[in-house]
Structures are given as C-alpha cells and as structure tokens.
Amino acid sequence: MSLFQRARSNLMWVMMSDVVAKGATIFVTIYLARVLGVTEFGVLGLGIAIASTLWPLVDLGTNGYGTREIARNRSNAHTLLPSLNSMRLTASVVLIAASAVVIELIGFEESKKWTVLATLLYMTTYAITPDWVVRGLERMSIGFVINGFTAVGFILGATILVSGPEDATTAGLVRSFSFAIGAIAGLIILSRLEGVRFRFSAQLDDWLALIKQTYHFLINRVATNLGQYIPFFAVSVMLTDIDTGLFAAPHRLYIVAVGGMAAITSAIYPILTDLHQKDPEKFRRFQRKLVDYILLLFIPAAGLGIIASDRLMNLIFGTEYLPAASVLTIMLLTLPLLAMRSLYMFTLLSAGYEKYAFPANMAGVIIQLIIAVNLVPTMGVEGAAIGMLAGELTSATILISLSTKKIGVGSPLQAETFTVLGITGVLICLQLWREWHLGITIGISLIAYAAYGLKTGLIPLNKLINRRS
C-alpha cells in the first residue's frame, strides 16, 4: 500500500471515528449544559478538567511510546499491551485514592466532592483502552468500534439517567463508565482479530524499565494537558461557580477540537515514524502537505469565530451562556495555533526528538499561567481565554523553530498559508460589510476554499476522476 493510500485509509477511519466520538461529546455536552444549569455544569467541568490534567500521570507516557514502538515492530504489541495497560491501571487506582484524600482535606461541599470523584473514575476505565495499540498496528477500524461503543453508552446513559441539576454526580459516572464499555469492546475485538490479549501483569522491574523509555512522552503530555486546563483552573479559583460554568461551555467545545486534532496527528504519527526512518526527504514533503491540509481546516474555523460566535453560543447552549461568546471567539482564533503546535510536536516525536518538545510545551504553560494570574481578576473569563491564545502561540513558535532546525521541515509561514489567511480575511470583511445572512457567507466560503484546494492540488480532482473512470 502506498504512503498516501495508508494515510487516506487511516484518516478515513479516524474521521469516521472522530465524527462518532466528537459528535456524541458535543451532543451530550449541549444536553448536560442545558439540563444541569450553569453552576452544576461548571462543577462537572471542573471534575473533567482535574481528571484530564491528572491523566498523564496514569498514562505515564505509554501512549506515545507504545504507538511508536508498535509502528516500528508490530510484534511488540503482544508484550507492550499487558505491561503498559497494567501499569496505567495501577497508577489510576493510586491517583484516585490520593485525589480523594486531597479533596477531603480541601473541604469540598458534599455534592461537589462526589461529582468530582465520579469524573475521576474515567482514569481507571480509560486506562485499559487499547486505542494506542490500534494506532500502532494501523487498525483504525477497531478504534472506530471503540469510539462507537463509548459514544452509544455516553448518549444513552446521559439522556436516560440525567434529568436535572441534582444529577451532576450521575453525569460524571455515566461519562466514566462509557469509556469502560468502549475499552472492553476494543480488547475483545483486538484479541479476536490480532491475537493481542490483555492480562494484568504486575512486574515492577518491567514497569521501571518502561518508564525510563517513556518519561519524555510523559512530561510532554503533562505540559500539553496543563496548557489545556490551567485557564480553567484559574477561572474556578479566582471567579465564581457561575463564571466557571460560563467558561466551561466554550472550553468543552475547544477540548473537542483538541481531541479532533489529536486524532488526526495520532493517525499520521505511525506513518511519519515509518517514513522518517526510510525516506527523510519524502517525510519532509509529506509533513508540508499535512500543514497545508490542517490550516485549510482550522483557519476558516477561526474566521467563523470572528463573525458568528454570539449566534453559535445562543444556538448551541442557549441565552444563559451568551456572556461567554467572546471566549468562544478567542478559542476559535486559537485553533490554528493549536493545530500547528500539535503537528510540529508529533513531527519531533516521530523523528525521535521528543526531549525537545517538553521545553516548548512548558513555555506555553508558563505564559498561560502568568497571563491568567494577571488578567483573570480584571478581565474575567476573557482573560483566561487570552492566556490560552498566548500560550499556544508561544509553544507553536518554539516547536516550529525546533522542527525546522533539527529535522529540516518547512515553516508554515509560506505562500499557501498566507493565501488561506487572505481568503478568510476577505470573507470576514464581506460579512461585516454586507451584514447578509451567515449562510450566504458560508456558501461563498465553501466555493472559495474549494477553488483554492483545486488550484493547489490539495483536492486532487484529476486523481478522483481517473479513479472513477
């Protein structure tokens, strides 16, 4: 199978999987935001933020390391799955117990305490998920099944069991156990189709040896997750529960986009790893093509945030969340920077330069923290969103610079990127000037971006026609 056939197959399954997973997440997020109300939705969001921030200490870098090692040698899957997932499962139990003690000492309100602990169970249920094995084997169809079972469990559980603000803890449990459903389904299918089985294996010597191999992946994941959630924690600590709920709504959509970008780069990661070993020049050309595709996807999303954030917030969450429309604008402007940061980080990882990614990611975290401390008390939720924008800009700039120097890949600041920015700028100006229906601008945008894609070859019309004929 050729390089682009592999990429197309992987991305097709990843896109289908992501539509299912992210579609379910968006649907349930909207449902819970409306049913739980701003305050309780903020508490649930806080629990999810804590669980997601602690997750790297459960994963321990095994996700990135395991995917890469299986991509290099498929037979590694038989030994890595029992060792790495057993290590993750043990770490999750220890962290949940420690978190329960800390929460008790802090003195959370009773309902808030149980809601947060319910969402923390996600760390255990997700610890056994074999999604990283699936990516290394490039069996993305199994990942689709995992996400499908998770999505169905999440939707049915939320709509049947959660009906009001008093069900916030139940909502946390539903989210956690939906991941268990997907994980079990994935393990069964992986065993049947690939003969790769998970059995708990408590071998401390093996775990310590593996951690020595995975710690660069661990610290990078810690930094990236902190970057996603530090603004949320700043809002929850410095502002009211209502402000936390308002910020949680657009932030959950942002995290869905983060997950979508991670799914794309994870699907490409084993191909980049394989290609860098065999043909570095083709690796650089392929990476540049990815830059063009990803910016063509995310720059228009940023433009939509400028012209329609208030309408989007009202449509998705209702008038109760309209004060956070400006936060949504800033987060959508952040998406292209997030995309470049993620892609260039995986570029470094695939080439074996993972140790250089951590300083870049940590620099973004520090910038976010500084801005949050200074702007959240005076600007409120908008200050936290500005911190996210500045942090992603910082990390992306450093990662791009490192990738160009260490690997020789091109910078995204080339003619293609400026062309997409120019098209988006013209469309924004047209909308602001004419003030016509948003659907007209979206229609014109689709035509303009399609024409650009055809002209540059990003949409390979000739290949599609030849294939059909």
Side-chain angles (χ1 to χ4, degrees), residues 213-237:
Q213 301 294 322
T214 64
Y215 78 94
H216 281 301
F217 294 91
L218 165 62
I219 59 178
N220 278 315
R221 188 65 183 269
V222 168
T224 54
N225 279 34
L226 281 174
Q228 293 167 20
Y229 290 100
I230 272 184
F232 189 98
F233 293 132
V235 170
S236 64
V237 170

PDB file of all heavy atoms in Angstrom, residues 213-237:
ATOM      1  N   GLN A 213      11.963   4.613  29.415  1.00  0.00           N
ATOM      2  CA  GLN A 213      11.798   4.831  27.980  1.00  0.00           C
ATOM      3  C   GLN A 213      10.685   5.834  27.668  1.00  0.00           C
ATOM      4  O   GLN A 213      10.688   6.446  26.605  1.00  0.00           O
ATOM      5  CB  GLN A 213      11.462   3.494  27.287  1.00  0.00           C
ATOM      6  CG  GLN A 213      12.510   2.413  27.459  1.00  0.00           C
ATOM      7  CD  GLN A 213      13.806   2.752  26.770  1.00  0.00           C
ATOM      8  OE1 GLN A 213      13.818   3.324  25.681  1.00  0.00           O
ATOM      9  NE2 GLN A 213      14.913   2.419  27.412  1.00  0.00           N
ATOM     10  N   THR A 214       9.737   5.966  28.589  1.00  0.00           N
ATOM     11  CA  THR A 214       8.539   6.756  28.278  1.00  0.00           C
ATOM     12  C   THR A 214       8.515   8.137  28.928  1.00  0.00           C
ATOM     13  O   THR A 214       7.608   8.922  28.644  1.00  0.00           O
ATOM     14  CB  THR A 214       7.270   6.010  28.744  1.00  0.00           C
ATOM     15  OG1 THR A 214       7.289   5.884  30.176  1.00  0.00           O
ATOM     16  CG2 THR A 214       7.193   4.620  28.136  1.00  0.00           C
ATOM     17  N   TYR A 215       9.488   8.459  29.786  1.00  0.00           N
ATOM     18  CA  TYR A 215       9.326   9.673  30.589  1.00  0.00           C
ATOM     19  C   TYR A 215       9.309  10.946  29.753  1.00  0.00           C
ATOM     20  O   TYR A 215       8.655  11.931  30.124  1.00  0.00           O
ATOM     21  CB  TYR A 215      10.383   9.751  31.690  1.00  0.00           C
ATOM     22  CG  TYR A 215      11.759  10.183  31.249  1.00  0.00           C
ATOM     23  CD1 TYR A 215      12.152  11.516  31.327  1.00  0.00           C
ATOM     24  CD2 TYR A 215      12.669   9.260  30.766  1.00  0.00           C
ATOM     25  CE1 TYR A 215      13.424  11.910  30.939  1.00  0.00           C
ATOM     26  CE2 TYR A 215      13.937   9.642  30.377  1.00  0.00           C
ATOM     27  CZ  TYR A 215      14.307  10.962  30.453  1.00  0.00           C
ATOM     28  OH  TYR A 215      15.548  11.357  30.063  1.00  0.00           O
ATOM     29  N   HIS A 216       9.984  10.967  28.596  1.00  0.00           N
ATOM     30  CA  HIS A 216       9.904  12.149  27.736  1.00  0.00           C
ATOM     31  C   HIS A 216       8.478  12.342  27.220  1.00  0.00           C
ATOM     32  O   HIS A 216       7.969  13.461  27.126  1.00  0.00           O
ATOM     33  CB  HIS A 216      10.869  12.035  26.559  1.00  0.00           C
ATOM     34  CG  HIS A 216      12.295  12.347  26.916  1.00  0.00           C
ATOM     35  ND1 HIS A 216      12.678  13.569  27.446  1.00  0.00           N
ATOM     36  CD2 HIS A 216      13.429  11.612  26.819  1.00  0.00           C
ATOM     37  CE1 HIS A 216      13.983  13.568  27.662  1.00  0.00           C
ATOM     38  NE2 HIS A 216      14.462  12.392  27.296  1.00  0.00           N
ATOM     39  N   PHE A 217       7.826  11.230  26.864  1.00  0.00           N
ATOM     40  CA  PHE A 217       6.430  11.307  26.428  1.00  0.00           C
ATOM     41  C   PHE A 217       5.546  11.758  27.592  1.00  0.00           C
ATOM     42  O   PHE A 217       4.586  12.512  27.398  1.00  0.00           O
ATOM     43  CB  PHE A 217       5.960   9.945  25.904  1.00  0.00           C
ATOM     44  CG  PHE A 217       6.646   9.503  24.644  1.00  0.00           C
ATOM     45  CD1 PHE A 217       7.793   8.737  24.692  1.00  0.00           C
ATOM     46  CD2 PHE A 217       6.140   9.864  23.409  1.00  0.00           C
ATOM     47  CE1 PHE A 217       8.430   8.319  23.537  1.00  0.00           C
ATOM     48  CE2 PHE A 217       6.761   9.457  22.242  1.00  0.00           C
ATOM     49  CZ  PHE A 217       7.914   8.686  22.304  1.00  0.00           C
ATOM     50  N   LEU A 218       5.873  11.287  28.807  1.00  0.00           N
ATOM     51  CA  LEU A 218       5.096  11.667  29.992  1.00  0.00           C
ATOM     52  C   LEU A 218       5.152  13.168  30.238  1.00  0.00           C
ATOM     53  O   LEU A 218       4.108  13.817  30.386  1.00  0.00           O
ATOM     54  CB  LEU A 218       5.618  10.905  31.210  1.00  0.00           C
ATOM     55  CG  LEU A 218       5.173  11.418  32.589  1.00  0.00           C
ATOM     56  CD1 LEU A 218       3.666  11.332  32.727  1.00  0.00           C
ATOM     57  CD2 LEU A 218       5.881  10.639  33.698  1.00  0.00           C
ATOM     58  N   ILE A 219       6.348  13.727  30.295  1.00  0.00           N
ATOM     59  CA  ILE A 219       6.456  15.141  30.632  1.00  0.00           C
ATOM     60  C   ILE A 219       5.876  16.025  29.533  1.00  0.00           C
ATOM     61  O   ILE A 219       5.332  17.101  29.805  1.00  0.00           O
ATOM     62  CB  ILE A 219       7.909  15.538  30.962  1.00  0.00           C
ATOM     63  CG1 ILE A 219       8.852  15.267  29.784  1.00  0.00           C
ATOM     64  CG2 ILE A 219       8.386  14.816  32.210  1.00  0.00           C
ATOM     65  CD1 ILE A 219      10.290  15.678  30.035  1.00  0.00           C
ATOM     66  N   ASN A 220       5.951  15.574  28.283  1.00  0.00           N
ATOM     67  CA  ASN A 220       5.315  16.336  27.210  1.00  0.00           C
ATOM     68  C   ASN A 220       3.802  16.329  27.353  1.00  0.00           C
ATOM     69  O   ASN A 220       3.139  17.350  27.147  1.00  0.00           O
ATOM     70  CB  ASN A 220       5.710  15.753  25.843  1.00  0.00           C
ATOM     71  CG  ASN A 220       7.057  16.245  25.359  1.00  0.00           C
ATOM     72  OD1 ASN A 220       7.352  17.432  25.446  1.00  0.00           O
ATOM     73  ND2 ASN A 220       7.877  15.348  24.862  1.00  0.00           N
ATOM     74  N   ARG A 221       3.256  15.169  27.725  1.00  0.00           N
ATOM     75  CA  ARG A 221       1.806  15.078  27.897  1.00  0.00           C
ATOM     76  C   ARG A 221       1.355  15.905  29.096  1.00  0.00           C
ATOM     77  O   ARG A 221       0.281  16.537  29.057  1.00  0.00           O
ATOM     78  CB  ARG A 221       1.401  13.610  28.069  1.00  0.00           C
ATOM     79  CG  ARG A 221      -0.098  13.366  28.057  1.00  0.00           C
ATOM     80  CD  ARG A 221      -0.712  13.692  26.704  1.00  0.00           C
ATOM     81  NE  ARG A 221      -2.143  13.530  26.733  1.00  0.00           N
ATOM     82  CZ  ARG A 221      -2.769  12.391  26.414  1.00  0.00           C
ATOM     83  NH1 ARG A 221      -2.062  11.332  26.048  1.00  0.00           N
ATOM     84  NH2 ARG A 221      -4.076  12.314  26.453  1.00  0.00           N
ATOM     85  N   VAL A 222       2.141  15.903  30.170  1.00  0.00           N
ATOM     86  CA  VAL A 222       1.813  16.734  31.333  1.00  0.00           C
ATOM     87  C   VAL A 222       1.730  18.204  30.915  1.00  0.00           C
ATOM     88  O   VAL A 222       0.788  18.926  31.269  1.00  0.00           O
ATOM     89  CB  VAL A 222       2.864  16.552  32.447  1.00  0.00           C
ATOM     90  CG1 VAL A 222       2.698  17.626  33.525  1.00  0.00           C
ATOM     91  CG2 VAL A 222       2.735  15.177  33.075  1.00  0.00           C
ATOM     92  N   ALA A 223       2.724  18.653  30.147  1.00  0.00           N
ATOM     93  CA  ALA A 223       2.766  20.057  29.729  1.00  0.00           C
ATOM     94  C   ALA A 223       1.589  20.408  28.824  1.00  0.00           C
ATOM     95  O   ALA A 223       0.951  21.457  28.998  1.00  0.00           O
ATOM     96  CB  ALA A 223       4.084  20.355  29.020  1.00  0.00           C
ATOM     97  N   THR A 224       1.276  19.549  27.862  1.00  0.00           N
ATOM     98  CA  THR A 224       0.182  19.860  26.945  1.00  0.00           C
ATOM     99  C   THR A 224      -1.167  19.862  27.672  1.00  0.00           C
ATOM    100  O   THR A 224      -2.020  20.722  27.405  1.00  0.00           O
ATOM    101  CB  THR A 224       0.140  18.866  25.771  1.00  0.00           C
ATOM    102  OG1 THR A 224       0.098  17.526  26.280  1.00  0.00           O
ATOM    103  CG2 THR A 224       1.363  19.008  24.895  1.00  0.00           C
ATOM    104  N   ASN A 225      -1.370  18.925  28.593  1.00  0.00           N
ATOM    105  CA  ASN A 225      -2.634  18.902  29.330  1.00  0.00           C
ATOM    106  C   ASN A 225      -2.766  20.082  30.282  1.00  0.00           C
ATOM    107  O   ASN A 225      -3.850  20.648  30.446  1.00  0.00           O
ATOM    108  CB  ASN A 225      -2.771  17.588  30.096  1.00  0.00           C
ATOM    109  CG  ASN A 225      -3.265  16.460  29.216  1.00  0.00           C
ATOM    110  OD1 ASN A 225      -2.931  16.411  28.040  1.00  0.00           O
ATOM    111  ND2 ASN A 225      -4.035  15.554  29.763  1.00  0.00           N
ATOM    112  N   LEU A 226      -1.663  20.481  30.895  1.00  0.00           N
ATOM    113  CA  LEU A 226      -1.698  21.680  31.732  1.00  0.00           C
ATOM    114  C   LEU A 226      -2.076  22.893  30.893  1.00  0.00           C
ATOM    115  O   LEU A 226      -2.855  23.751  31.329  1.00  0.00           O
ATOM    116  CB  LEU A 226      -0.335  21.904  32.387  1.00  0.00           C
ATOM    117  CG  LEU A 226      -0.003  21.055  33.618  1.00  0.00           C
ATOM    118  CD1 LEU A 226       1.431  21.308  34.051  1.00  0.00           C
ATOM    119  CD2 LEU A 226      -0.966  21.360  34.761  1.00  0.00           C
ATOM    120  N   GLY A 227      -1.524  22.966  29.690  1.00  0.00           N
ATOM    121  CA  GLY A 227      -1.840  24.085  28.810  1.00  0.00           C
ATOM    122  C   GLY A 227      -3.311  24.161  28.460  1.00  0.00           C
ATOM    123  O   GLY A 227      -3.865  25.245  28.263  1.00  0.00           O
ATOM    124  N   GLN A 228      -3.956  23.014  28.389  1.00  0.00           N
ATOM    125  CA  GLN A 228      -5.379  22.996  28.054  1.00  0.00           C
ATOM    126  C   GLN A 228      -6.254  23.398  29.238  1.00  0.00           C
ATOM    127  O   GLN A 228      -7.352  23.921  29.041  1.00  0.00           O
ATOM    128  CB  GLN A 228      -5.772  21.593  27.576  1.00  0.00           C
ATOM    129  CG  GLN A 228      -5.154  21.186  26.256  1.00  0.00           C
ATOM    130  CD  GLN A 228      -5.311  19.700  25.983  1.00  0.00           C
ATOM    131  OE1 GLN A 228      -6.169  19.035  26.566  1.00  0.00           O
ATOM    132  NE2 GLN A 228      -4.466  19.156  25.123  1.00  0.00           N
ATOM    133  N   TYR A 229      -5.778  23.155  30.469  1.00  0.00           N
ATOM    134  CA  TYR A 229      -6.670  23.301  31.622  1.00  0.00           C
ATOM    135  C   TYR A 229      -6.261  24.349  32.650  1.00  0.00           C
ATOM    136  O   TYR A 229      -7.062  24.678  33.525  1.00  0.00           O
ATOM    137  CB  TYR A 229      -6.840  21.941  32.312  1.00  0.00           C
ATOM    138  CG  TYR A 229      -7.656  20.978  31.482  1.00  0.00           C
ATOM    139  CD1 TYR A 229      -7.039  19.993  30.726  1.00  0.00           C
ATOM    140  CD2 TYR A 229      -9.039  21.092  31.433  1.00  0.00           C
ATOM    141  CE1 TYR A 229      -7.791  19.121  29.945  1.00  0.00           C
ATOM    142  CE2 TYR A 229      -9.799  20.231  30.661  1.00  0.00           C
ATOM    143  CZ  TYR A 229      -9.167  19.247  29.913  1.00  0.00           C
ATOM    144  OH  TYR A 229      -9.904  18.395  29.140  1.00  0.00           O
ATOM    145  N   ILE A 230      -5.066  24.899  32.571  1.00  0.00           N
ATOM    146  CA  ILE A 230      -4.676  25.943  33.530  1.00  0.00           C
ATOM    147  C   ILE A 230      -5.659  27.125  33.500  1.00  0.00           C
ATOM    148  O   ILE A 230      -6.050  27.629  34.557  1.00  0.00           O
ATOM    149  CB  ILE A 230      -3.230  26.399  33.275  1.00  0.00           C
ATOM    150  CG1 ILE A 230      -2.271  25.505  34.069  1.00  0.00           C
ATOM    151  CG2 ILE A 230      -3.006  27.848  33.687  1.00  0.00           C
ATOM    152  CD1 ILE A 230      -0.829  25.894  33.998  1.00  0.00           C
ATOM    153  N   PRO A 231      -6.061  27.623  32.315  1.00  0.00           N
ATOM    154  CA  PRO A 231      -7.039  28.725  32.320  1.00  0.00           C
ATOM    155  C   PRO A 231      -8.337  28.350  33.026  1.00  0.00           C
ATOM    156  O   PRO A 231      -8.934  29.187  33.716  1.00  0.00           O
ATOM    157  CB  PRO A 231      -7.273  28.996  30.831  1.00  0.00           C
ATOM    158  CG  PRO A 231      -6.031  28.508  30.164  1.00  0.00           C
ATOM    159  CD  PRO A 231      -5.631  27.298  30.940  1.00  0.00           C
ATOM    160  N   PHE A 232      -8.774  27.096  32.863  1.00  0.00           N
ATOM    161  CA  PHE A 232     -10.000  26.652  33.527  1.00  0.00           C
ATOM    162  C   PHE A 232      -9.834  26.694  35.042  1.00  0.00           C
ATOM    163  O   PHE A 232     -10.710  27.176  35.766  1.00  0.00           O
ATOM    164  CB  PHE A 232     -10.352  25.238  33.073  1.00  0.00           C
ATOM    165  CG  PHE A 232     -11.702  24.766  33.531  1.00  0.00           C
ATOM    166  CD1 PHE A 232     -12.786  24.833  32.688  1.00  0.00           C
ATOM    167  CD2 PHE A 232     -11.901  24.288  34.821  1.00  0.00           C
ATOM    168  CE1 PHE A 232     -14.049  24.415  33.111  1.00  0.00           C
ATOM    169  CE2 PHE A 232     -13.139  23.871  35.255  1.00  0.00           C
ATOM    170  CZ  PHE A 232     -14.219  23.937  34.392  1.00  0.00           C
ATOM    171  N   PHE A 233      -8.704  26.192  35.520  1.00  0.00           N
ATOM    172  CA  PHE A 233      -8.461  26.217  36.963  1.00  0.00           C
ATOM    173  C   PHE A 233      -8.354  27.648  37.490  1.00  0.00           C
ATOM    174  O   PHE A 233      -8.808  27.949  38.597  1.00  0.00           O
ATOM    175  CB  PHE A 233      -7.186  25.443  37.299  1.00  0.00           C
ATOM    176  CG  PHE A 233      -7.292  23.966  37.047  1.00  0.00           C
ATOM    177  CD1 PHE A 233      -6.298  23.283  36.360  1.00  0.00           C
ATOM    178  CD2 PHE A 233      -8.391  23.252  37.493  1.00  0.00           C
ATOM    179  CE1 PHE A 233      -6.391  21.922  36.129  1.00  0.00           C
ATOM    180  CE2 PHE A 233      -8.508  21.891  37.265  1.00  0.00           C
ATOM    181  CZ  PHE A 233      -7.499  21.226  36.586  1.00  0.00           C
ATOM    182  N   ALA A 234      -7.762  28.541  36.689  1.00  0.00           N
ATOM    183  CA  ALA A 234      -7.654  29.945  37.109  1.00  0.00           C
ATOM    184  C   ALA A 234      -9.038  30.554  37.289  1.00  0.00           C
ATOM    185  O   ALA A 234      -9.300  31.268  38.270  1.00  0.00           O
ATOM    186  CB  ALA A 234      -6.856  30.734  36.068  1.00  0.00           C
ATOM    187  N   VAL A 235      -9.940  30.253  36.372  1.00  0.00           N
ATOM    188  CA  VAL A 235     -11.309  30.763  36.476  1.00  0.00           C
ATOM    189  C   VAL A 235     -12.005  30.171  37.700  1.00  0.00           C
ATOM    190  O   VAL A 235     -12.672  30.884  38.462  1.00  0.00           O
ATOM    191  CB  VAL A 235     -12.107  30.439  35.192  1.00  0.00           C
ATOM    192  CG1 VAL A 235     -13.589  30.732  35.386  1.00  0.00           C
ATOM    193  CG2 VAL A 235     -11.562  31.241  34.014  1.00  0.00           C
ATOM    194  N   SER A 236     -11.859  28.862  37.919  1.00  0.00           N
ATOM    195  CA  SER A 236     -12.559  28.214  39.032  1.00  0.00           C
ATOM    196  C   SER A 236     -12.043  28.681  40.389  1.00  0.00           C
ATOM    197  O   SER A 236     -12.803  28.735  41.365  1.00  0.00           O
ATOM    198  CB  SER A 236     -12.422  26.684  38.919  1.00  0.00           C
ATOM    199  OG  SER A 236     -11.078  26.288  39.056  1.00  0.00           O
ATOM    200  N   VAL A 237     -10.763  29.055  40.461  1.00  0.00           N
ATOM    201  CA  VAL A 237     -10.184  29.511  41.729  1.00  0.00           C
ATOM    202  C   VAL A 237     -10.471  30.989  41.976  1.00  0.00           C
ATOM    203  O   VAL A 237     -10.816  31.384  43.094  1.00  0.00           O
ATOM    204  CB  VAL A 237      -8.652  29.255  41.739  1.00  0.00           C
ATOM    205  CG1 VAL A 237      -7.998  29.944  42.927  1.00  0.00           C
ATOM    206  CG2 VAL A 237      -8.367  27.759  41.776  1.00  0.00           C
TER     207      VAL A 237
END
